[in-house]
Amino acid sequence: MQIEQMETPSVAIDLDILDANLKRTAELAAKAGVKLRPHIKTHKSVWIARKQIEYGATGITTAKLGEAEVMADGGIHDILIAFPLIGANKLKRLAKLIERGVRVTVSVDSMEAARGISDVGHAAGMRIPLYLDVNTGLNRCGLEPGLPSAELALQISALPGVDVNGLMTHAGHSYGCGDAEGARKVAFAEAEALIATQQILRDKGLDVPEISVGSTPTSKFTEQLSGVTEMRPGAYVFGDGSQLYPGFIDETECAMRIYATVVSSPRPGTLIVDAGSKTLTNDVSVHRKGYGYLPDYPEIFVERLSEEHGILAVPNNCSLKIGDVVSIIPNHCCTVVNLRDELAGVRDGKLDHWMKVDARGLIT
Amino acid sequence: MQIEQMETPSVAIDLDILDANLKRTAELAAKAGVKLRPHIKTHKSVWIARKQIEYGATGITTAKLGEAEVMADGGIHDILIAFPLIGANKLKRLAKLIERGVRVTVSVDSMEAARGISDVGHAAGMRIPLYLDVNTGLNRCGLEPGLPSAELALQISALPGVDVNGLMTHAGHSYGCGDAEGARKVAFAEAEALIATQQILRDKGLDVPEISVGSTPTSKFTEQLSGVTEMRPGAYVFGDGSQLYPGFIDETECAMRIYATVVSSPRPGTLIVDAGSKTLTNDVSVHRKGYGYLPDYPEIFVERLSEEHGILAVPNNCSLKIGDVVSIIPNHCCTVVNLRDELAGVRDGKLDHWMKVDARGLIT
């Protein structure tokens, strides 16, 4: 079936572009001499995670225990859960996951989080590897680099059931950089912050071997950095507007397209398509107004979204009419996937197979 | 189990408040002498739809064919699909739904949409009831009221397989009104616009009996309107910030709470909870900055969301610490539900049962 003949709104993944993206980033990591531990929150698919491993990834990153559990079911056995696991329920599930023989690393940024995990490790007669999450500018989790993070790492290293195995950061703020040069600067700054912290710890007698950096925009500069041992890009698999608009990638690297049907032409200058926020999401980009980009109609602006309606601002001479199908590159691929049970895997514009979003809805 | 002991992030519905909301709006419709046809996109639950019918609704409204199909499976047999059905795939599914004996009404705002449905009706030897969607200020679907809409209705009425049975509008812009008085004005304006159009049609010999108005904020004023025959509120079942902030409802009418755990305390003035945009959604309100409201900590501001992180701006003397569970009223209940397979039905703060979100993910 031609992709345009499928029920809309649909989310299509070009399998050749996906494959090229997976290979390119695996080669990037190999060339840089660093481990690749991609973040699977983007695709939530066991099949794609296995492909990533096949192409050289040493393990994966997840945001949630539920994602880790599903990936372990799918045969992935080296998993970083890049989120603090807090509370008795989460720690019980962590213990079970470890019992199954999965090598789980957990990121922490507090003694409270570390203590809970240490209790799990101690009860299991092992030391669970931890990454200390360090803030390098996203201002989300993580203490400041340098002394604050080093002091916390030293405190944690005294706990019996954990091992401070690495320092990590996620430079999500690189998406807000003006261009690739801006992303390069962020890549250098995040690496320097981690390595300086590592050096403080080394001086105090604690060797923390792994330096793990995240984010797709910065990943391209890993080869230029020294001291980094691992990278964790996620969104590179599909590409999206937030990578396209600032020029981090070009359209040939965008594997994801939303197909939507023009369903209404209520007044001059406006068309309505059947993809709203329940398909495109309300995620915005600092680099382009609106909620997506139509590669075949770059002059069209996705002005507003209701839940099921996309309101397009179109030039008065626009040739589109009710019933036409348009393709849209969404601003943010990760949140689009999260709304779907299945993605349409396409090749040469035809449906090849449906790809299950295995970890969709596993929110805890 | 106490709701705070459940895995977070969770979405809890207070069943007593839900029940009171369902009854109050059913009584409102009865008192106003209008039919109630609630929009089920808010809850996507067969169980709640059946309750709505039990309390007096004459039918339901859906946004999608997929939602209508699931509701028909659940025994609901009078359904308005308030979205233009465009394309061969959609029309085939419409034909099947009608074959099953479901009374389906479809909203249209173009000859193209009406022709497709007329073909389905003609082939089935019947006239499918249509509502003409009229724009009363939301500027989404719908021609202008008065002559533009009347002329389209007359053209459509000449088609063999449809019956223009009503005029409808959705005053979603009422959420942007400053207060209840603003919503009252919108309610009057939308009713007047439809009734003026109905009068033009009557003068030209076309009787269009149903005048159907939407939106929760305007629904409270239906009793004051004359000529309206039906109302289609949706979000009233759960209540949310977009209703609470401008004073359309009070906290006792908010059935939905997000429970989230404090997982990080990285710097003074900031706490991180485990509910991000994949739980709270990026939907915003014009009446309050941020991404939700903490009724127990009104001074806390949900400043930013990542996919799995909620970044809270807290006063320096805030007593919350890592491991504490907070409850959050989200800005928009409909999109929160759309991210969940199940909602926790709670009574007196304890889990009563899990409620399936039957129509989640039925996006076409």
Side-chain angles (χ1 to χ4, degrees), chain A residues 5-10 41-42 44 63-65 67 82-87 89-90 93 109-110 112-113 133 135 138-144 261-267 270 272-275 277-279 282-284 304 306-309 311 321-324 332 334-335 338-341 360-364, chain B residues 5-10 41-42 44 63-65 67 82-87 89-90 93 109-110 112-113 133 135 138-144 261-267 270 272-275 277-279 282-284 304 306-309 311 321-324 332 334-335 338-341 360-364:
Chain A
Q5 295 168 328
M6 291 174 56
E7 288 265 7
T8 61
S10 64
K41 60 133 182 168
T42 302
K44 299 181 190 288
K64 293 281 169 167
L65 256 168
E67 292 171 350
F83 199 88
L85 298 179
I86 302 291
N89 293 323
K90 300 276 189 291
R93 288 166 65 194
D109 71 346
S110 69
E112 291 87 339
D133 193 359
N135 178 31
L138 181 58
N139 297 328
R140 200 170 65 182
C141 287
L143 301 193
E144 296 309 296
T261 301
V262 178
V263 295
S264 171
S265 173
R267 65 200 73 89
T270 299
I272 314 285
V273 293
D274 60 356
S277 70
K278 284 177 178 172
T279 293
N282 271 332
D283 287 14
V284 292
R304 278 189 297 143
S306 294
E307 286 161 64
E308 305 289 5
H309 302 74
I311 292 114
K321 58 188 189 308
I322 290 174
D324 287 347
H332 188 187
C334 309
T335 46
N338 186 49
L339 293 165
R340 292 277 162 167
D341 293 321
R360 188 211 56 74
L362 302 179
I363 197 72
T364 67
Chain B
Q5 295 168 331
M6 290 175 57
E7 288 266 7
T8 60
S10 64
K41 59 131 184 172
T42 302
K44 299 180 190 290
K64 293 280 170 169
L65 255 169
E67 293 172 350
F83 199 87
L85 298 179
I86 302 292
N89 293 323
K90 299 277 189 291
R93 289 165 64 196
D109 71 347
S110 70
E112 292 87 339
D133 193 0
N135 178 30
L138 182 58
N139 297 327
R140 200 171 65 180
C141 287
L143 302 191
E144 297 309 296
T261 301
V262 178
V263 295
S264 172
S265 173
R267 66 200 72 89
T270 298
I272 314 285
V273 294
D274 61 356
S277 71
K278 284 177 177 172
T279 293
N282 271 331
D283 287 14
V284 291
R304 277 188 299 143
S306 295
E307 287 162 62
E308 306 289 6
H309 302 74
I311 292 116
K321 58 189 190 306
I322 291 175
D324 287 347
H332 188 187
C334 308
T335 47
N338 186 49
L339 293 164
R340 293 276 161 167
D341 293 321
R360 189 211 56 76
L362 302 178
I363 197 73
T364 66

Side-chain angles (χ1 to χ4, degrees), chain B residues 113-177:
Chain B
R115 259 190 228 110
I117 295 164
S118 177
D119 290 347
V120 172
H122 193 57
M126 65 180 287
R127 286 178 178 269
I128 297 173
L130 297 183
Y131 279 0
L132 189 79
D133 193 0
V134 177
N135 178 30
T136 57
L138 182 58
N139 297 327
R140 200 171 65 180
C141 287
L143 302 191
E144 297 309 296
L147 271 182
S149 286
E151 280 167 10
L152 179 58
L154 287 167
Q155 278 184 55
I156 292 173
S157 71
L159 293 170
V162 290
D163 183 25
V164 183
N165 194 41
L167 303 175
M168 67 166 268
T169 193
H170 168 56
H173 51 297
S174 62
Y175 283 97
C177 292

